[in-house]
Amino acid sequence: SEEAVVEQATENNKLAAKATARMLESELIGLVGQLRGAANNPELAEAIRREGSLPIQERPYLGQLLRSFRRHYGQPRRLDSRRRAPHPDDADPPSEHELVDRSWFVTDANGVQLWREPFGDTIDGHYHWREYFHWGNEDRPKSTPFSEIEKHWEGQSFHISTPFVSEETNRYMIAISVLVHERDNPEPIGVLARTIELGKLLSNKNLGGTRTVAMVDGRDGQFLDHPKLASPQYQDPDS
């Protein structure tokens, strides 16, 4: 009888794990779609062209656009379909805690960050060496000249980075990035990206039952998230 109970529980856990994995995959696909929709907004390309070469204090429209995108797309989708999507004109914007995105940012075609939401000291930094910019398999050394960066954009419509540890939270994150084009111009003028804390994708889902759910990268078996990692004693990534 004990063996039968264990076998049944194991099968139930397998089914729950597969369902959760499919749910998270669907969530990532939705996040990519949102980002592509934002990148296709002609106002973004116009703002990059018009303000990209100006000093930071003269890029108000870029900041306004990224704030609007992050606020509009930033609330996690719920399993409860009755919950309406957020709107940029809502009287009560979502708090930082509610937003699934850690940040939205845009670079020019040379990897120079033009704006970040929330605002940060990374603006005007050179990030051509980052995987989210060149779409290779890993970051290049920070000292790599732009002329030595091979961009893997051709034939690709988006890129999901390998998980990396946030310097701010010590938890795993990913960056999703897409290219920004001007109308009728095949050459990208920038890269739009959003960074997402992986644990938030799990914590905002009503998985039901009393199971404790961990997240593992199916490509290499890397352990990415577990509810215990949110506890203060686990904030050191080397623990």
Side-chain angles (χ1 to χ4, degrees), residues 17-72:
K18 289 180 180 179
T20 303
R22 285 194 295 267
M23 188 192 320
L24 291 173
E25 183 177 35
S26 174
E27 180 80 0
L28 283 173
I29 292 172
L31 294 172
V32 170
Q34 293 173 348
L35 194 65
R36 293 175 68 177
N40 289 334
N41 186 327
E43 295 181 46
L44 179 60
E46 172 64 17
I48 293 174
R49 185 189 63 79
R50 189 174 61 197
E51 298 182 347
S53 60
L54 299 178
I56 293 177
Q57 61 271 21
E58 297 180 30
R59 303 174 197 166
Y61 196 50
L62 270 174
Q64 178 184 337
L65 281 173
L66 290 192
R67 281 191 298 274
S68 176
F69 291 153
R70 185 168 179 246
R71 178 175 167 182
H72 182 67

Side-chain angles (χ1 to χ4, degrees), residues 139-166:
D139 289 346
R140 298 290 303 279
K142 193 173 182 178
S143 59
T144 305
F146 176 77
S147 59
E148 297 180 11
I149 294 294
E150 180 183 359
K151 297 187 289 291
H152 301 264
W153 296 347
E154 188 173 355
Q156 305 296 321
S157 59
F158 68 93
H159 179 74
I160 299 178
S161 75
T162 54
F164 60 93
V165 176
S166 166

Side-chain angles (χ1 to χ4, degrees), residues 11 13 43-44 50 56 79 82 86 93 116-117 125-126 134-135 145 164 181 184 188 191 196 206-207 219 231:
E11 288 303 313
N13 283 338
E43 295 181 46
L44 179 60
R50 189 174 61 197
I56 293 177
L79 295 182
R82 293 171 297 178
R116 181 186 188 274
E117 174 60 33
H126 293 257
H134 59 71
W135 296 11
F164 60 93
H181 294 266
D184 301 324
V191 173
I196 300 159
N206 179 17
L207 301 175
R219 295 169 293 187
S231 302

Side-chain angles (χ1 to χ4, degrees), residues 149-230:
I149 294 294
E150 180 183 359
K151 297 187 289 291
H152 301 264
W153 296 347
E154 188 173 355
Q156 305 296 321
S157 59
F158 68 93
H159 179 74
I160 299 178
S161 75
T162 54
F164 60 93
V165 176
S166 166
E167 295 180 355
E168 181 180 1
T169 66
N170 286 330
R171 301 191 71 182
Y172 274 106
M173 305 177 69
I174 56 170
I176 303 175
S177 52
V178 297
L179 302 177
V180 181
H181 294 266
E182 288 183 294
R183 182 174 296 177
D184 301 324
N185 184 356
E187 290 297 318
I189 64 168
V191 173
L192 177 66
R194 67 196 301 182
T195 59
I196 300 159
E197 194 172 282
L198 289 171
K200 275 196 172 183
L201 295 182
L202 274 180
S203 64
N204 285 297
K205 293 289 178 289
N206 179 17
L207 301 175
T210 58
R211 293 182 177 90
T212 298
V213 181
M215 186 184 296
V216 176
D217 191 329
R219 295 169 293 187
D220 58 11
Q222 186 177 19
F223 190 88
L224 300 177
D225 198 74
H226 186 281
K228 286 285 188 180
L229 295 178

